Amino acid sequence: MDLPDSVMITEVGPRDGLQNEPEVVSVDDKVRFIDLLSDCGFPEIEVTAFVSPKWVPQLADAADVLARITRRPGVTYSALVPNLEGWHRAADAGVDKVAVFTAASETFSQRNTNASIAETLTRFEPVIAAAHEAGCPVRGYVSCVVACPYEGPIAPEQVAAVIRSLGTIGVDEIDLGDTIGVAEPSDIESLLDAVGSLSAVEDLVLHLHDTQGRAVDCCTRAMERGVRRFDTSCAGLGGCPYAPGATGNLATEALVARCTELGVTTNIDPTALDAAATAIENSLGRSLPGRNAG
Ligand code: HMG
Ligand code: MG
């Protein structure tokens, strides 16, 4: 197997995980969780989203959270923004990086952002211009890269078309989301075959939910194909409020354990990760599925 020496893991639990919890976690508890995650060795933590509080009340406190976390030098603190209003809020809060998000499925795009794919791209243009003017890098998420909860399987060519459009409007990196966690390793192969020529494979990010328990095998296959960047969430926290049935992101613990087995460096400290997982489990009052994934 031809594997990379190291991979880069972005922790997305505070955003993708907590956006899907039925109850709102307090700002104090979010800050504690993020501060503990800052001790784990992640180069980037996606801390929140500056989306409409009517759509995602769980993250209405985005500015407070960013104001109160202790920023560790060397860690990028990023957040989702869907439009210019989100960008202004995120910029005022001093984010290091923003992520815009669209989909390879028209129905998902409508349900998630009340806009067609084309309309989301139009919304992103002023966001990207403003972010770049401020020296802030922009990630571009594509959801439903394998399947959509409403439309079923999605052709890799549809994903490629959206990536091309995101490239045209100037995003700095592409993040491929298996929103409902159904990918098989062969789907990842097909996806990379279709999109690998549009962006250097080592710059692509893979964001897998783990509904079917195959996400870690998909990451391994992706690593064999040269992918080096992954999103995961602490203890498998997560989901998506607009993707019925989707469970959490791939657990950070599971990917770290797999990488250790394979001799691939992650620079994540499992003991520090365990402390973060305990803290968020205490906040939620329940144990999380990916807790012992390692
Ligand atoms: P809309 O209702 O069509 O927006 O929502 P609008 O422009 O008509 O505005 C309506 C109201 O929302 C107005 O307030 C705006 O000010 C306000 P009102 O006048 O009624 O009081 N508003 C905002 N407030 C705060 N921040 C903002 C903002 N924008 C408008 N940024 C919108 C359109 C995109 C805003 C909405 O659909 C939305 O917020 N959607 C976000 C949904 C979401 O967060 N989904 C989860 C994240 S994506 C995901 O999880 C997938 C991913 O993990 C990858 C994967 O797994 O595939 C990334
Ligand atoms: Mg997600």
Side-chain angles (χ1 to χ4, degrees):
M1 274 196 302
D2 199 8
L3 291 167
D5 294 337
S6 63
V7 293
M8 175 182 158
I9 300 178
T10 295
E11 168 64 42
V12 298
R15 192 280 302 174
D16 206 346
L18 297 185
Q19 79 180 10
N20 204 39
E21 282 302 319
E23 282 167 33
V24 178
V25 173
S26 71
V27 174
D28 281 350
D29 283 11
K30 287 178 180 174
V31 168
R32 182 169 155 68
F33 179 43
I34 295 164
D35 286 349
L36 287 165
L37 290 170
S38 292
D39 293 336
C40 293
F42 298 106
E44 178 175 344
I45 304 173
E46 195 172 79
V47 285
T48 188
F50 290 90
V51 296
S52 162
K54 288 183 191 136
W55 285 62
V56 185
Q58 293 91 332
L59 302 181
D61 54 11
D64 286 346
V65 170
L66 261 159
R68 290 188 35 203
I69 56 172
T70 302
R71 296 192 190 203
R72 191 179 177 110
V75 179
T76 296
Y77 295 92
S78 56
L80 258 58
V81 299
N83 53 17
L84 206 46
E85 187 167 344
W87 159 255
H88 289 308
R89 291 176 60 215
D92 288 348
V95 288
D96 298 325
K97 175 175 172 182
V98 291
V100 294
F101 52 102
T102 186
S105 150
E106 280 296 348
T107 314
F108 186 83
S109 181
Q110 284 291 350
R111 302 274 182 117
N112 195 35
T113 56
N114 199 24
S116 67
I117 297 169
E119 285 165 344
T120 62
L121 297 167
T122 304
R123 282 178 184 170
F124 298 161
E125 285 183 46
V127 172
I128 294 167
H132 284 169
E133 176 75 26
C136 178
V138 183
R139 159 179 285 196
Y141 274 109
V142 185
S143 283
C144 304
V145 296
V146 171
C148 166
Y150 312 107
E151 293 184 13
I154 296 290
E157 292 68 31
Q158 274 175 252
V159 182
V162 177
I163 292 178
R164 257 185 232 108
S165 302
L166 284 170
T168 305
I169 62 172
V171 298
D172 300 294
E173 72 187 29
I174 297 289
D175 192 328
L176 301 169
D178 177 19
T179 316
I180 55 172
V182 294
E184 306 213 20
S186 59
D187 295 317
I188 301 299
E189 297 256 17
S190 308
L191 189 61
L192 294 174
D193 286 342
V195 310
S197 61
L198 303 174
S199 172
V201 173
E202 63 268 24
D203 295 336
L204 286 171
V205 188
L206 212 52
H207 174 110
L208 304 180
H209 289 255
D210 200 20
T211 315
Q212 302 295 334
R214 296 189 288 255
V216 77
D217 291 334
C218 290
C219 288
T220 307
R221 185 67 58 87
M223 280 186 242
E224 288 166 11
R225 291 285 306 260
V227 176
R228 292 195 313 224
R229 303 182 58 190
F230 300 93
D231 294 344
T232 58
S233 75
C234 179
L237 194 61
C240 176
Y242 299 97
T247 60
N249 296 87
L250 170 60
T252 307
E253 291 81 351
L255 184 58
V256 170
R258 174 62 60 90
C259 286
T260 304
E261 260 169 56
L262 296 171
V264 175
T265 303
T266 63
N267 286 325
I268 306 302
D269 174 353
T271 308
L273 189 58
D274 210 42
T278 300
I280 198 63
E281 280 186 335
N282 288 341
S283 302
L284 296 171
R286 64 185 173 88
S287 54
L288 289 166
R291 184 58 196 277
N292 297 314

